[in-house]
C-alpha cells in the first residue's frame, strides 16, 4: 500500500490488485481503534491504473491519477459527493490540469482554496517533476492558472505535498540529495516553513529523523493538529507500506 490520505470517514490508499493499481479505503470506529482491512472503492477504480488518491479534509472531494481510456498518460480525475454517507460517484477528468505528460498528486489545501499538483516536464518548470499550485473551487470545478513553486522545486523530482492548515508549514517528497543523506536516487521527506501565508517558502530541509538510508519515504499526510504524520516507505524490504509517526 502507498499514497495514504486520511479524512473523516476513512483512510484512502493505492495498492496493486489483480494486475493493476487501485484505490482502497479502510475505516475505524474511533481514532483509538485499529483500522479495518482495506476494501477497494469500486466507483473510483477502472481496469487501468489508479494512484495517488488525495481526499479533502471534509471527506467530500477526492482526486486520483489514472491512465484509464481517454487519458493522455496519467491524468487527474476528481469526484465529489454530497456527504460522507454517500458513495463516491465515478470521477471525472479535471481538464484544466491534465497534460500529455503524467500528472499526479493533486492535493487540496486544508482550507480547500488551493490545489497542489505534481507536473512533469512542463514549460516554465524547474526540473523533471515540480510542485505547482493554483487557486481552486470545486463548486463547480474551477482551477485558476497553475504556477510552479520555484522555492520548493529542484532539478530533481519534487512531488506530493501536505500543507498545514496555517499555510505556514509544508512537507514534500523529493529525490534531491543532501550532504550526509542517501547516496542513491530515492525519495525523502522535506519540510519548509514561512512566517506568513503570503511569504515565499524557506529552503526545504530534510526530515532526517524519518530517513532510512537506501530506502524511500514519500507520500506525506500531515494531520490538522500537526502531531501525526502518515507516510509511505519501502524500508521493510517488501514493497511500500504505510507508516505513521506522532
Amino acid at each position: 500500500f502507498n499514497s495514504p490520505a486520511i479524512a473523516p470517514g476513512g483512510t484512502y490508499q493505492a495498492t496493486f490488485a489483480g494486475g493493476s493499481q487501485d484505490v482502497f479505503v479502510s475505516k475505524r470506529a474511533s481514532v483509538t481503534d485499529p483500522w479495518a482491512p482495506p476494501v477497494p472503492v469500486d466507483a473510483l477504480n477502472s481496469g487501468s491504473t489508479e494512484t495517488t488518491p488525495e481526499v479533502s479534509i471534509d471527506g467530500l472531494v477526492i482526486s486520483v491519477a489514472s491512465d484509464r481510456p481517454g487519458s493522455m498518460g496519467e491524468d487527474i480525475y476528481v469526484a465529489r459527493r454530497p456527504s460522507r454517507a454517500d458513495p463516491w460517484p465515478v470521477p471525472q477528468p479535471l481538464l484544466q490540469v491534465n497534460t500529455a505528460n503524467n500528472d499526479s498528486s493533486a492535493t487540496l489545501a486544508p482550507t480547500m482554496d488551493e490545489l497542489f499538483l505534481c507536473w512533469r516536464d512542463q514549460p516554465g518548470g524547474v526540473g523533471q517533476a515540480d510542485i505547482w499550485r493554483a487557486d481552486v473551487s470545486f463548486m463547480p470545478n474551477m482551477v485558476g492558472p497553475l504556477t510552479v513553486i520555484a522555492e520548493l522545486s529542484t532539478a530533481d523530482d519534487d512531488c506530493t505535498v501536505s500543507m498545514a492548515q496555517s499555510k505556514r508549514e509544508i512537507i514534500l517528497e523529493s529525490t534531491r540529495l543532501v550532504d550526509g543523506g542517501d547516496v542513491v536516487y530515492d525519495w525523502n521527506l522535506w519540510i519548509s516553513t514561512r512566517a506568513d501565508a503570503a511569504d515565499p517558502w524557506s529552503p526545504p530541509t530534510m526530515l532526517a529523523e524519518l530517513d532510512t538510508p537506501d530506502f524511500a519515504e514519500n507520500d506525506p499526510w500531515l494531520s490538522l493538529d500537526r502531531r501525526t504524520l502518515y507516510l509511505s516507505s519501502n524500508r521493510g524490504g517488501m514493497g511500500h507500506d504505510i507508516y505513521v509517526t506522532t
Side-chain angles (χ1 to χ4, degrees):
F1 285 95
N2 57 40
S3 302
I6 320 298
T11 177
Y12 294 83
Q13 58 266 322
T15 191
F16 284 96
S20 65
Q21 195 168 15
D22 292 326
V23 177
F24 283 65
V25 65
S26 175
K27 299 182 179 182
R28 58 185 179 180
S30 73
V31 296
T32 59
D33 288 323
W35 293 101
V39 295
V41 187
D42 291 336
L44 302 179
N45 295 322
S46 68
S48 304
T49 292
E50 281 74 42
T51 187
T52 59
E54 303 290 349
V55 64
S56 62
I57 201 64
D58 62 4
L60 303 183
V61 178
I62 192 168
S63 72
V64 297
S66 178
D67 63 356
R68 63 187 63 188
S71 303
M72 298 179 289
E74 279 190 5
D75 285 343
I76 303 300
Y77 288 75
V78 171
R80 184 179 180 90
R81 57 186 179 180
S83 74
R84 295 196 298 270
D86 291 305
W88 290 108
V90 174
Q92 301 300 312
L94 192 59
L95 298 177
Q96 301 98 319
V97 305
N98 291 332
T99 71
N101 298 319
N102 286 337
D103 316 303
S104 63
S105 304
T107 307
L108 268 174
T111 47
M112 302 282 288
D113 59 354
E114 286 186 88
L115 180 73
F116 298 93
L117 184 71
C118 179
W119 244 9
R120 286 189 174 274
D121 302 318
Q122 293 298 317
V126 177
Q128 302 170 70
D130 296 315
I131 299 168
W132 297 67
R133 72 158 300 281
D135 296 326
V136 68
S137 171
F138 283 106
M139 297 182 69
N141 288 353
M142 297 184 65
V143 181
L146 281 154
T147 57
V148 66
I149 307 179
E151 61 266 34
L152 299 182
S153 300
T154 66
D156 296 297
D157 284 341
D158 311 286
C159 273
T160 308
V161 305
S162 184
M163 186 172 69
Q165 191 171 23
S166 67
K167 295 189 176 184
R168 293 183 292 145
E169 181 180 55
I170 194 167
I171 296 175
L172 60 139
E173 62 178 21
S174 178
T175 61
R176 68 189 76 185
L177 296 182
V178 63
D179 291 342
D182 289 2
V183 295
V184 297
Y185 179 87
D186 222 333
W187 294 101
N188 286 307
L189 295 182
W190 298 67
I191 188 169
S192 174
T193 59
R194 56 188 179 183
D196 183 82
D199 292 338
W201 292 102
S202 67
T205 57
M206 191 177 73
L207 290 171
E209 64 270 32
L210 301 180
D211 179 45
T212 50
D214 300 334
F215 293 101
E217 286 80 36
N218 58 331
D219 292 319
W221 183 88
L222 181 66
S223 64
L224 283 179
D225 63 8
R226 301 171 49 248
R227 299 179 64 181
T228 302
L229 178 68
Y230 284 81
L231 61 122
S232 173
S233 178
N234 62 351
R235 64 183 65 187
M238 297 291 291
H240 278 260
D241 291 315
I242 296 173
Y243 291 79
V244 62
T245 181
T246 56

